[in-house]
Amino acid sequence: MTDMASPDSNVRKDGFAKRHGRGLTGLLLVAAPVILLGWLIIYPIFNAVARTLFVNSDAGASFSLDTYQRFFTDSYSLANLWLTLWVTVVCAALLMAICLPLALYLRFAKSRIAAVVQGLALFPMFVPSVILAYALIRTIGPNGGVDLVLNAIGLPKINSPYLTPWGPVIGLVWDNIPLTTLMLVAGLGGVSDNAVEAARDAGARHVALLRHIILPQIGNAMLVVLSFTVLSIFSAFTLPYVLGPASPEMMGPFMQRTFSQVQDTRMAVTQAVITFVICAGFGAFYVRSIAKNREARQ
Amino acid sequence: MAQLTLKNIGKSFDGTDVIRDTSLDVKDGELVCLLGPSGSGKSTILRMVGGFETPDRGSILIDGQDVTRIPPEKRPTGMVFQSHALWSHMSVAENIAFGLKLRRMPRRDIQAKVAEALELVGLADYGKRRVWQLSGGQQQRVAIARALVLEPKILLLDEPFASLDQHLREHLREELRDIQRRLGITTLFVTHGQDEALALADRIVVLQGGEIEQVASPDHMYRAPETRFVAGFIGSMNFLACDMRGGRSDHPLFQISAPVNDGPVELAIRPEAITVAPDANASSRVHRTTDYGTHILVDIELEDGTRLKAMCPPSTRLATGEPVGLKASHVAVFRGTEKLADVTPSDTREIEHV
């Protein structure tokens, strides 16, 4: 009996040790990224929120919402926030309008031209933002390429979008086309050729096909695209800084100016927290929508 | 009910001919199976009839009307795909109703037609379910209902049961045959399963390399294949190489007489046309026996090392290595791809001893 029992218990002990050894290895493997995440992202978030909510004085730290109150009662700050939201919404709409037809073409086209179009669509990904900004200034800025061509053929100059809200819109849309297209093409990969053919067989023409079959099936992909677009545009700096208006300005340049020129660190952090809360709201909406879709499937 | 006519259709992809000058007539209410190995062009023909591919040459007529250039959404055809191709964001009823809604049919009529279609495929209570809640067989029934509810003139089925297990496949094909007979709908069915084609079809079209090898009823296709390819593709067939000399084959076991010119030939014999009996003096030996319940398949090694298969009754008891004598009740003679003769020896002698 004892002989029979002891190897059994050894096996159990070995299994326990193995399981725990493996668990420890797993923890060690994820430790580095988790520590980095905590140190570089989680800690700064809580630190920033705490710095905006507590004021240090000789009497010690005290709770205060003064910077938030200043932000939400300051018309200039609010104008900057509204401009950022406006640019974000317009960019998201334009990106959808440009990239969805492009992605549909790339997904369903069988011609060789599709490969060339894909290459062209991905090209902006390899152009740094600052180079793109100066290229746009030289093209659509005052006395830029477009003006020179118009002048040469005797037409009046364009109203340049440079240093207007449309400047960053054009730059950000151009900059985000590749990633948006790639994400939509990936989403469209989930719509099978047979599903489309079955719809055509049932009598669906192009518009009905898009409305009833394709769009409902790429809902998640579109949510991902919208979330990424909102997050990246809301936090953009280079293009709004170089191409955008001086007043009102987008939140990125506004934060930088408040920090370095006005040297109001606490206000700059407050602006960052407000930006973060809005982006987190979009993120939560995205996570909730994905979770709801999964729940419905189960 | 409608008639389908393919007139000399041809199709190439990247300069390679996948369909060559193919013509076919499908009669009102007929169920025709396109059968062939992968790459034979059967699905391409079906897709051309459905409007998903356009022929480079020739024309497709439905009830005499040329539909060659008409897009799928305007064709009087309904297609069932191998992958079911149901829309996962819709319920079962919404899947079936989709085509009717596009035709702007009144809601009450749509509901009645959807209920009728679900009843037809035996899923009367499944309308509100999501498609991912159904089994593979149920999903394929929904796909069939979705195609039938639009009352197409021609029903097209592209290997609809290929992804299902054997039992379900057999069950569904019987149901499909019943539905097709009841509705009398002209049907074109693509399959690479010969048993499916033999069980379902009024006529079978065997394709190879984009060309029709033979068009015939299942029994004729099985019993009287016209080409060597069809003989080998439909069912199992033993091919034995030999020469014809003076109207007689020189095969050591199967010496048959046939009005065939001298030269090399192949004797084609079905396993069920061979009778096996123990014979201590015979040079052929049992290599292996496999019991399939309904019959025993005996693998026999001939003196020259050639193997042939014989189908024997389940009561047959043969041991591995046991010498056996062979008799053939029907032999077809092929030279190259062409059939030269069908021979049914009146005297089924024990050829081993001739």
Side-chain angles (χ1 to χ4, degrees), chain B residues 10-21 39 56-57 209-210:
Chain B
K11 179 77 184 169
S12 307
F13 289 118
D14 296 327
T16 308
D17 282 345
V18 289
I19 300 295
R20 294 175 199 171
D21 199 31
D56 298 330
R57 304 168 288 280

Side-chain angles (χ1 to χ4, degrees), chain B residues 8 47 72 78 112 120 127 138 158 161-162 164 172 184 199 212 216 239 247 258 262 273 298 301 306 316 319 334 349:
Chain B
N8 307 103
R47 290 175 61 77
L120 186 72
Q138 287 168 334
D158 190 3
F161 309 136
L164 308 177
L172 273 180
I212 291 179
F239 288 102
D262 288 0
V298 186
E301 190 164 302
T306 314
T316 308
F334 288 92
R349 296 159 293 171

Side-chain angles (χ1 to χ4, degrees), chain A residues 90-106:
Chain A
V90 171
C91 282
L94 285 175
L95 276 169
M96 274 296 168
I98 294 167
C99 298
L100 188 60
L102 199 59
L104 286 167
Y105 173 75
L106 293 176

Side-chain angles (χ1 to χ4, degrees), chain A residues 41-75:
Chain A
I41 297 173
I42 307 294
Y43 168 71
I45 290 172
F46 284 100
N47 179 261
V49 172
R51 282 173 67 188
T52 60
L53 294 177
F54 295 97
V55 188
N56 285 319
S57 63
D58 295 340
S62 61
F63 180 79
S64 171
L65 289 169
D66 62 325
T67 49
Y68 290 96
Q69 194 179 9
R70 261 169 59 205
F71 184 92
F72 287 109
T73 52
D74 175 28
S75 60

Side-chain angles (χ1 to χ4, degrees), chain A residues 234-272:
Chain A
F234 221 89
S235 55
F237 175 76
T238 309
L239 290 164
Y241 183 73
V242 181
L243 298 173
S247 171
E249 58 195 326
M250 282 179 67
M251 290 303 283
F254 183 38
M255 272 181 255
Q256 195 271 343
R257 209 171 47 75
T258 310
F259 182 80
S260 64
Q261 290 177 18
V262 183
Q263 295 191 338
D264 185 349
T265 315
R266 198 157 158 260
M267 191 62 207
V269 176
T270 305
Q271 291 161 5

Side-chain angles (χ1 to χ4, degrees), chain B residues 93 96 100 108-125 149:
Chain B
I96 298 170
L100 301 172
R108 195 168 290 177
D109 293 356
I110 292 176
Q111 283 172 348
K113 276 189 167 286
V114 169
E116 197 183 318
L118 284 170
E119 184 81 44
L120 186 72
V121 295
L123 293 174
D125 300 323
V149 79

Side-chain angles (χ1 to χ4, degrees), chain B residues 224-246:
Chain B
E226 283 167 12
T227 67
R228 190 197 184 279
F229 174 78
V230 175
F233 189 71
I234 303 276
S236 2
M237 184 70 90
N238 297 296
F239 288 102
L240 301 166
C242 63
D243 280 315
M244 291 298 290
R245 287 165 208 257

